[in-house]
Amino acid sequence: MGFLLRRIGFYVLAAWASLTLNFFLPRAMPGDPASAIFARFQGRLQPEQLQALREAFGFTEGPLFQQYATYLTHALRGDFGISISAFPAPVTTVIATGLQWTLLLGGLATVLSFTLGSLLGVIGAWRRGGLVDSIMPPLLIFIGAFPYFFLAMLALYFFSFYLGWFPLRHAYSSELRPEVSLAFVGSVLYHLVLPASTVVLVSIGGWVLGMRNTMISVLSEDYIVMAEAKGLPERRIMFRYAARNALLPNVTSFGMALGFVISGLLLTEIVFSYPGVGYLLIKAVANLDYPLMQGLFLMITFSVLAANLVVDLLYVRLDPRVRVR
Amino acid sequence: MTVSAQQQATWVRNFNPFVGDNRFPTVNGVYEPLMIYNTIKGELVPWLATGYEWGDGNRKLTFKLRDDVQWSDGQPFTARDVVFTFNLFKEHTGLQGPGGQAMTGETAYIESVTAPDDTTVEFTFAQAFTPGLYDIANQNIVPEHIWKDVADPLKFTNENPVGTGPFTEVAVFQNQVYEVHRNPNYWQPGKPAVQGLRFPAYPGNDQANLATINGENDWAGNFIPDIEQTFVAKDPEHFGYWFPSTGATVMLYLNTTRAPFDNVDVRKAISMALNRDQIVEVAMYGYTHPADATGLSDAYPNYKSERVVQAGSELVTRNIERANQLLDAAGLTRGAGGIRQLPDGTPLRYDLNVVSGWTDWVSACQIMAQNLREVGIEATVRTYDFSAWFERVQKGDFDMSIGWSSGGATPFNYYRSQMSQRSFRPVGEAAGENWHRYVSQRADELLNQFAATSDLAEQQQIAEQLQQTFVDELPAVPLFPGPMWYEYNTRRFEGFPNEENPYAVGSPFGMGTPEQLILMTTVKPK
């Protein structure tokens, strides 16, 4: 229990630190957000109107510490203000347009990639020098080294445009409305195939290699020899004894990867026109949309923190040594 | 009808015509202006108003409105709605729209707006300013009975708009697609012939182009490289495009507050050094043509003077020898490495600023840098993020920069942006136009005369003198007029404008142009 409280205390501190950074970082960027809006009008606005806009957006507010205090109280209430690039929609509304799809696509791809990758790593290490071990890691690392953008474009062009097997864009068919029905869920899954599989393809290599390498060192431990000597079934040794211990470093990375799901799918979303939040981040930066940027950054940091907390809890379950300390 | 006009990964519901990020076709689709300026024909087309009249020494502008127009909720449209819309700008700062320039800020020229009866609106000017006609005619009108209850029009997302336009009913709104269906009470009987417009979300140009090439979009405003091959060749019978060069002219701005760009001969020499044919062919894929010396795009058939274009043709024709002569005569002698120097020995070494990622402009700048090296000016292309670039040009903190210019129905706005005290701001102060900081007394006189008369023949004559002044003083270097991106697909709909049938510019770009209303009410299902 003491362990958990200490961890949670640490996370609260980290959250505060990230909130503060989140406030100051965008303000260190060059340029001025009102100018960016102004630009869309290509000379059709006069500087006086620009000034009026600035006042309307509240860019002329008081000294920095005062802004900081307002920012903190609003952030605690979950109010990130009004987005500048999608003015006058509130930041929360803008983020809500794509969040569930990013979580679905990113979560699914990460979980799949982690599970499949770890499994392949276990099998590869168990049958060292076998077919899986000699072909899989180099091949997957090779594919993973491709620029993702290129691979995704290629997949989109070939499978969707040329062969017409998969949809060209979006998270579900535009003929359907979101509802709980077989047709809709089917459409969602169908639209997921290509984006998710390209993500899995480029990221799986790391999991395989990581798992295989730790697995090999675990396999040379005395307790594995002991288990074999006791005549335990092969599968039991492989998964319950070796894999469980070898999994620990991978679980840490898994936590990190889950946290980065929100930010990491930018290219996938752009190539497959998948309605997510990754693209919003680019748009926010391009338009110097501080409120939207802050909302997104905060979500990313919080999700990394939350994922790490989950990993910490998982560790307690997986590794009894943590509980003792 | 499937349309690709805006590019977003997900749609945010917003149909407020007074803010920057509203969904197409809020402006000029859901809402309508009093009259539409047709840039191809060079005339004002009656729309909600049947006509206008100047009076009281051009200090009073009266519009007669149609009496058969209804809002999409069935309420009648009257002159009170027009008065209300314009007064909205006065009561709430920060609202955007052409009416804002008329009503607020230093530029305000309207004293009052009144409605003597239900079909008449009178604008009283503080002083004669006839180019204001186009701002006023262009302003989209909103219904008083809805908007009078809106507390803050700047923050209103107007999810279910009530307008007079051809498409008002938001039938579907999802994060990846939305549909706006036709107005049941539209005032043009039998129109629009199209059931509704449908907008899939495309996060970028590549995705939008893929769909357009695939025949999924019926109407699009995308930039497609090598369009004959990549698009038209897929289905020559149905696929078409038309890129009229009626957009604002792209310019090379030289900071005229700094030597040697304060010397008109140096500016002329730089203009002669440029290979505009190559810029247009390579950087712009041949989609436009080199600008003439007046800098006016093709949107001014009524005003452009063939005589001045001829007189200035030397300035926009590549002539290295003549450019070198002019620079020699300006006292800029060649120094080490063939680079010219100011009389005090400073070499002519400058950054040529451009926005990173605007690939057509970057490539145009690279060609220009090469051209300038041939006449002994070393220009280095510097790419900046948009806002950093914009801050520099606005504040006059640059030597050379590529940039857009101002458009409008008459050449007034363009010349005001290029060489007038009206647009001048000192270096260090943000300027919306006139980034090169140039004032011509002669031009100001002419602009004042232009703004005081409403007689077209007289305006044409003044415009010719303005063009002559621009060519004489060359405050900035015109490069090429901007093309208006527009593609269409006649598999399911017909009646799109094109080069053979140029009834209006068809570009459904960003916030849209008033002319798109003409297209929307002309196109029919097959």
Side-chain angles (χ1 to χ4, degrees), chain B residues 366-445:
Chain B
Q366 276 155 353
I367 295 171
M368 288 195 283
Q370 234 169 32
N371 296 157
L372 291 173
R373 222 159 285 145
E374 292 173 52
V375 294
I377 298 172
E378 191 174 293
T380 314
V381 178
R382 269 294 291 267
T383 59
Y384 288 99
D385 270 345
F386 176 79
S387 40
W389 170 84
F390 197 54
E391 179 137 340
R392 280 183 168 76
V393 285
Q394 277 196 306
K395 297 207 162 143
D397 176 21
F398 68 97
D399 291 311
M400 300 174 141
S401 183
I402 192 169
W404 61 76
S405 58
S406 301
T410 69
F412 182 89
N413 284 357
Y414 172 75
Y415 288 119
R416 180 185 59 190
S417 79
Q418 295 299 322
M419 48 184 186
S420 167
Q421 187 68 43
R422 291 172 192 249
S423 59
F424 178 82
R425 298 280 182 287
V427 167
E429 210 176 285
E433 41 190 24
N434 201 344
W435 297 325
H436 48 294
R437 266 79 189 165
Y438 189 85
V439 178
S440 158
Q441 309 258 278
R442 172 93 185 114
D444 267 330
E445 280 166 30

Side-chain angles (χ1 to χ4, degrees), chain A residues 192-207:
Chain A
L192 267 174
V193 175
L194 219 46
S197 52
T198 48
V199 174
V200 169
L201 210 56
V202 292
S203 59
I204 196 169
W207 299 119

Side-chain angles (χ1 to χ4, degrees), chain A residues 296-312:
Chain A
L296 284 169
F297 285 151
L298 216 59
M299 271 186 26
I300 293 166
T301 20
F302 279 8
S303 53
V304 172
L305 289 178
N308 272 297
L309 186 64
V310 171
V311 168
D312 272 347

Side-chain angles (χ1 to χ4, degrees), chain B residues 178-428:
Chain B
Y178 68 92
E179 288 179 17
V180 185
H181 288 189
R182 68 178 161 206
N183 175 355
N185 297 316
Y186 196 50
W187 53 275
Q188 296 191 46
K191 288 181 174 181
V194 176
Q195 267 291 331
L197 307 175
R198 175 186 181 81
F199 304 89
Y202 305 113
N205 223 12
D206 293 335
Q207 291 71 32
N209 287 351
L210 198 62
T212 306
I213 293 166
N214 216 13
E216 290 171 55
N217 290 328
D218 300 301
W219 181 28
N222 308 331
F223 165 74
I224 302 183
D226 193 13
I227 190 157
E228 284 288 349
Q229 284 302 313
T230 47
F231 175 60
V232 180
K234 298 265 177 222
D235 187 353
E237 203 187 316
H238 298 108
F239 289 179
Y241 71 98
W242 181 37
F243 298 158
S245 303
T246 55
T249 304
V250 176
M251 316 281 291
L252 170 63
Y253 289 111
L254 306 167
N255 192 334
T256 61
T257 60
R258 298 183 186 173
F261 305 128
D262 52 353
N263 183 338
V264 60
D265 286 335
V266 174
R267 298 197 294 270
K268 286 185 173 171
I270 287 174
S271 178
M272 286 180 207
L274 302 181
N275 189 346
R276 287 182 178 73
D277 291 321
Q278 195 185 5
I279 293 173
V280 165
E281 259 337 291
V282 177
M284 299 306 295
Y285 295 87
Y287 291 159
T288 176
H289 55 80
D292 57 56
T294 67
L296 290 178
S297 76
D298 297 353
Y300 308 96
N302 285 345
Y303 293 98
K304 201 182 266 190
S305 156
E306 212 35 56
R307 187 186 64 73
V308 182
V309 170
Q310 283 306 322
S313 68
E314 194 204 5
L315 288 179
V316 287
T317 315
R318 182 163 154 91
N319 188 343
I320 296 289
E321 203 183 320
R322 181 88 184 97
N324 274 322
Q325 278 172 13
L326 280 174
L327 291 172
D328 288 339
L332 305 168
T333 51
R334 292 215 187 225
I339 299 183
R340 291 177 186 277
Q341 300 176 333
L342 288 177
D344 67 2
T346 331
L348 302 190
R349 230 180 235 128
Y350 304 107
D351 280 348
L352 173 49
N353 297 355
V354 61
V355 184
S356 60
W358 293 18
T359 48
D360 47 348
W361 281 18
V362 173
S363 137
C365 283
Q366 276 155 353
I367 295 171
M368 288 195 283
Q370 234 169 32
N371 296 157
L372 291 173
R373 222 159 285 145
E374 292 173 52
V375 294
I377 298 172
E378 191 174 293
T380 314
V381 178
R382 269 294 291 267
T383 59
Y384 288 99
D385 270 345
F386 176 79
S387 40
W389 170 84
F390 197 54
E391 179 137 340
R392 280 183 168 76
V393 285
Q394 277 196 306
K395 297 207 162 143
D397 176 21
F398 68 97
D399 291 311
M400 300 174 141
S401 183
I402 192 169
W404 61 76
S405 58
S406 301
T410 69
F412 182 89
N413 284 357
Y414 172 75
Y415 288 119
R416 180 185 59 190
S417 79
Q418 295 299 322
M419 48 184 186
S420 167
Q421 187 68 43
R422 291 172 192 249
S423 59
F424 178 82
R425 298 280 182 287
V427 167

Side-chain angles (χ1 to χ4, degrees), chain A residues 166-210:
Chain A
F166 294 103
L168 274 169
R169 70 184 70 86
H170 292 166
Y172 52 92
S173 159
S174 355
E175 310 299 323
L176 299 169
R177 285 170 192 239
E179 57 185 354
V180 186
S181 74
L182 204 62
F184 180 72
V185 174
S187 172
V188 168
L189 290 177
Y190 181 45
H191 282 72
L192 267 174
V193 175
L194 219 46
S197 52
T198 48
V199 174
V200 169
L201 210 56
V202 292
S203 59
I204 196 169
W207 299 119
V208 175
L209 210 65

Side-chain angles (χ1 to χ4, degrees), chain A residues 245-313:
Chain A
N245 284 301
L247 201 58
L248 290 175
N250 254 17
V251 167
T252 313
S253 326
F254 180 59
M256 300 285 282
L258 265 190
F260 284 118
V261 155
I262 290 186
S263 61
L265 287 171
L266 171 67
L267 293 178
T268 325
E269 286 169 8
I270 290 182
V271 172
F272 296 99
S273 308
Y274 208 81
V277 292
Y279 188 70
L280 285 179
L281 192 61
I282 286 290
K283 200 176 108 179
V285 172
N287 286 305
L288 293 180
D289 187 347
Y290 295 159
L292 184 57
M293 256 190 275
Q294 284 172 336
L296 284 169
F297 285 151
L298 216 59
M299 271 186 26
I300 293 166
T301 20
F302 279 8
S303 53
V304 172
L305 289 178
N308 272 297
L309 186 64
V310 171
V311 168
D312 272 347
L313 297 179

